[in-house]
Amino acid sequence: MTSPVSSKSDPATEALGFAAHDHDHCVETAMAAAEARCNAEGLQFTPVRRKALEILLQEHRALGAYEVLDRLRDAGFGSQPPVAYRALDFLVANGFAHKIERLNAFIACAHPGTSHSPVFMICRLCDSVAEASAGPTRGALGQAARDAGFQIERTVVEAEGICPACSEKAQA
Amino acid sequence: MTSPVSSKSDPATEALGFAAHDHDHCVETAMAAAEARCNAEGLQFTPVRRKALEILLQEHRALGAYEVLDRLRDAGFGSQPPVAYRALDFLVANGFAHKIERLNAFIACAHPGTSHSPVFMICRLCDSVAEASAGPTRGALGQAARDAGFQIERTVVEAEGICPACSEKAQA
DNA sequence: GCGATATATGATATGAGATAACATGACAAG
DNA sequence: CTTGTCATGTTATCTCATATCATATATCGC
Ligand SMILES: [Zn+2]
Ligand SMILES: [Zn+2]
Ligand SMILES: [Zn+2]
Ligand SMILES: [Zn+2]
């Protein structure tokens, strides 16, 4: 096994929501679901877009646009920034992926299909990212908005800290 | 009067938390408070840092690091990016200012002195930003973190939408 | 005070993230 | 076949951010 040492690790054994899982299977099912939804809604799930989503799903972590671009180039697509940004824009606009503002990076949605306001937990030690789901108008934000007369259209909720795995490691 | 036309407007008449206020006074008191706290805590409130905070307070909106840098240069300080980033890092690290991740921009804290997890409301029409305060472990985020065993160290909570003022304009 | 150590500033260079603008190709509607 | 729409590719440029090295200024133990 290579480099069990520090932060980055093998996606197949790494956290999805900080929990181990059958990675190949989850990629396949997510791709199939995306395929189906694009068909149903008349969205053009073109090769670049498909590949971009596959890249995000494979990694199961937040990738910068240029990392995605590198992999798209390797797969034979264009090599200029707009190629990646356009594919990512499509994925984000249609809920297949999210942008993590804190990291300027993108990640495949962990709860696709459902309309949701994502909530992210970002481990500062291993860079893993878990996605939870939350109603948009609940909690402190919704209250503050109502008090102020502010109409929320979109929310960014991201927590930075230590994931369970790194927490255990630190104790040992 | 110049350009009452579109989005950007005079800080003195513009929203602080979407509400009008005595701007000169609020800048002065905030500067004095910062001064006092730096003295009390042994922080070096140097000329660049002081000026950077003054700039953020004067504008009362989110400024990009390079906008701050421009104004610092005008005030006779260094003109290279690290000058601004270092001053801003100091202000953020000590709670005098916050970074708005969604905008890659910085804003003076509206509730200085108190330890708090800020919550921002960003108007996509006029770019005004209001800061509300909220306990870090409440709401959906705190619940998701507890469920996952994730230790939150810092939170980013930002809502994008329409502020009360722009909402009224739109109705008319 | 004085030297050692830490902290802050200045300047250079470079890296990383994002978009404007324009050209080309695929395809469907009229 | 023409026209409009959408997706892709490419070029150039812009904004945001940091690594690094050199110099100055505090701070602290003595
Ligand atoms: Zn999601
Ligand atoms: Zn971790
Ligand atoms: Zn604040
Ligand atoms: Zn507004």
Side-chain angles (χ1 to χ4, degrees), chain B residues 44 46 48-49 78-83 86:
Chain B
Q44 295 186 232
T46 63
V48 224
R49 292 167 178 182
S79 61
Q80 302 306 314
V83 171
R86 286 195 284 231

Side-chain angles (χ1 to χ4, degrees), chain B:
Chain B
M1 200 175 184
T2 60
S3 72
V5 186
S6 117
S7 63
K8 309 300 184 293
S9 49
D10 176 12
T13 64
E14 194 52 28
L16 163 65
F18 308 141
H21 66 288
D22 180 342
H23 190 59
D24 287 347
H25 178 256
C26 91
V27 171
E28 276 173 34
T29 55
M31 287 300 295
E35 194 82 50
R37 199 155 75 76
C38 285
N39 268 315
E41 299 183 21
L43 301 171
Q44 295 186 232
F45 201 38
T46 63
V48 224
R49 292 167 178 182
R50 186 186 313 268
K51 187 66 192 177
L53 178 55
E54 206 180 305
I55 289 165
L56 292 181
L57 286 165
Q58 281 293 346
E59 293 284 344
H60 246 323
R61 62 184 181 94
L63 289 183
Y66 279 66
E67 292 184 89
V68 173
L69 179 58
D70 284 346
R71 287 166 176 71
L72 287 176
R73 188 196 314 105
D74 293 348
F77 296 96
S79 61
Q80 302 306 314
V83 171
Y85 280 101
R86 286 195 284 231
L88 290 167
D89 283 349
F90 170 86
L91 296 177
V92 170
N94 295 288
F96 299 118
H98 301 290
K99 180 173 187 186
I100 312 286
E101 298 290 345
R102 187 72 221 287
L103 304 176
N104 294 321
F106 300 83
I107 191 165
C109 177
H111 311 108
T114 69
S115 168
H116 60 283
S117 295
V119 171
F120 295 102
M121 288 170 278
I122 307 164
C123 178
R124 68 169 163 82
L125 295 180
C126 68
D127 291 331
S128 67
V129 175
E131 177 183 349
S133 200
T137 55
R138 306 190 326 126
L141 217 182
Q143 192 53 55
R146 277 189 294 278
D147 292 349
F150 183 88
Q151 294 181 272
I152 296 179
E153 292 176 343
R154 181 177 177 275
T155 59
V156 174
V157 179
E158 299 170 2
E160 195 175 7
I162 313 283
C163 76
C166 289
S167 199
E168 282 177 30
K169 273 180 237 157
Q171 278 191 332

